[in-house]
Amino acid sequence: MSQPLKFYFDFLNQSSRALYILLEASKIPFEAIPISMLKGEHLTGEFRDNVNRFRKLPAITDHGYQLSENVAIFRHLAREKLVPEHWYPRRHLGRSRIDEYLAWQQTNMGVATTEYFQQKWLVPYLQKTRPADNAVNLAGKQLEHTLNEFEQLFLNSRKFMLGDNISFADLSAICEIDQPKSIGYNTFQNRNKLARWYEAVREELGPHYKEVLGEFEAKLKGSGSGQQQGVAQAVKQ
């Protein structure tokens, strides 16, 4: 019997949450190995040598092959495992549309949600200070612009981004949006289309999503006292 895939993750990281939900929903056998970024466990020499040379999360090992970068991991799973077709559909240029969103996310949604999360929660947590109002306001303006763009560019009258079936683009996007939403950002103000899409995705993902989001929000409320350099980089990844 083959060894299950090993998945290294921290639910503080939005890509970790998206891939964990994908693995669970696709019923792919895997060994879940939580790594604490707040304690710097991803920065150790042992993690670098045995898991991931980039010292980033999420990461996998599959039959001894080490891989990082969330989009690369997703495409590896789509090629090598039995991932249901709707997550990365071949029909109607579905894969091209998902790739387009994921590329846009890397330099837009991912940047904006991470910057807001860092300025509002992570930096104050690590430095034991109050959030810097100017930095939070600036990050909030960037996030507002990005969410408006997301709504205009990727959402339409259909239920999900590609139509009637949920895809990995929807899953990845909702996990990004949860990053600022879970620390109090008013995500849906004047964004009715975004709110309808969010509820449809949340309902479709069901208990897998609910469980992972609950774990993320619990970590926000009860994080340990570890303070290490490099945490922000991994949260962004």
Side-chain angles (χ1 to χ4, degrees):
M1 188 172 180
S2 62
Q3 290 286 326
L5 176 145
K6 293 183 178 181
F7 181 60
Y8 301 83
F9 67 97
D10 188 326
F11 284 149
L12 279 180
N13 167 268
Q14 51 268 54
S15 299
S16 288
R17 299 195 300 274
L19 289 170
Y20 189 99
I21 293 167
L22 178 71
L23 288 164
E24 288 278 12
S26 300
K27 296 181 171 57
I28 297 171
F30 72 102
E31 180 182 351
I33 305 175
I35 300 293
S36 173
M37 294 187 303
L38 293 179
K39 294 179 182 178
E41 291 176 357
H42 62 299
L43 301 176
T44 65
E46 181 181 4
F47 186 87
R48 178 197 64 211
D49 295 338
N50 298 326
V51 179
N52 185 269
R53 66 189 188 279
F54 300 115
R55 297 191 293 188
K56 290 182 176 182
L57 292 174
I60 64 169
T61 59
D62 190 13
H63 299 286
Y65 179 70
Q66 301 175 1
L67 190 63
S68 68
E69 303 294 340
N70 62 304
V71 175
I73 293 172
F74 164 65
R75 290 180 181 145
H76 172 84
L77 295 175
R79 284 192 304 268
E80 305 297 332
K81 308 298 179 183
L82 294 176
V83 174
E85 178 72 9
H86 68 84
W87 291 115
Y88 201 38
R90 292 175 174 84
R91 294 183 61 195
H92 307 304
L93 299 177
R95 291 191 169 189
S96 297
R97 304 303 287 178
I98 292 170
D99 288 346
E100 179 185 49
Y101 169 72
L102 294 175
W104 180 86
Q105 178 180 281
Q106 288 287 100
T107 54
N108 292 274
M109 182 76 85
V111 173
T113 59
T114 296
E115 179 65 13
Y116 187 85
F117 182 79
Q118 289 182 0
Q119 297 301 334
K120 185 71 181 289
W121 188 86
L122 184 61
V123 172
Y125 172 80
L126 293 175
Q127 297 181 353
K128 298 189 182 301
T129 60
R130 289 179 52 82
D133 290 340
N134 288 341
V136 172
N137 290 339
L138 187 63
K141 289 179 181 178
Q142 180 188 19
L143 180 57
E144 180 179 6
H145 171 76
T146 302
L147 290 174
N148 289 341
E149 262 202 338
F150 173 71
E151 189 178 57
Q152 293 162 11
L153 295 173
F154 295 100
L155 302 185
N156 45 53
S157 59
R158 295 177 296 182
K159 190 174 183 180
F160 301 112
M161 289 168 68
L162 296 188
D164 294 331
N165 295 315
I166 196 168
S167 73
F168 186 70
D170 298 289
L171 173 54
S172 187
I174 197 173
C175 290
E176 288 288 347
I177 288 169
D178 280 334
Q179 205 74 2
K181 179 179 178 292
S182 294
I183 55 172
Y185 184 81
N186 192 352
T187 308
F188 306 123
Q189 185 175 13
N190 300 321
R191 299 186 190 94
N192 293 332
K193 196 186 300 183
L194 180 64
R196 287 195 298 270
W197 166 85
Y198 183 96
E199 284 305 308
V201 175
R202 183 183 66 81
E203 184 176 343
E204 185 73 16
L205 291 174
H208 299 307
Y209 170 78
K210 184 177 180 181
E211 175 189 352
V212 169
L213 180 62
E215 293 278 354
F216 169 49
E217 292 181 338
K219 287 177 76 72
L220 292 175
K221 294 174 183 176
S223 295
S225 59
Q227 297 186 33
Q228 300 286 341
Q229 290 183 328
V231 173
Q233 180 189 19
V235 170
K236 183 175 182 180
Q237 167 63 19

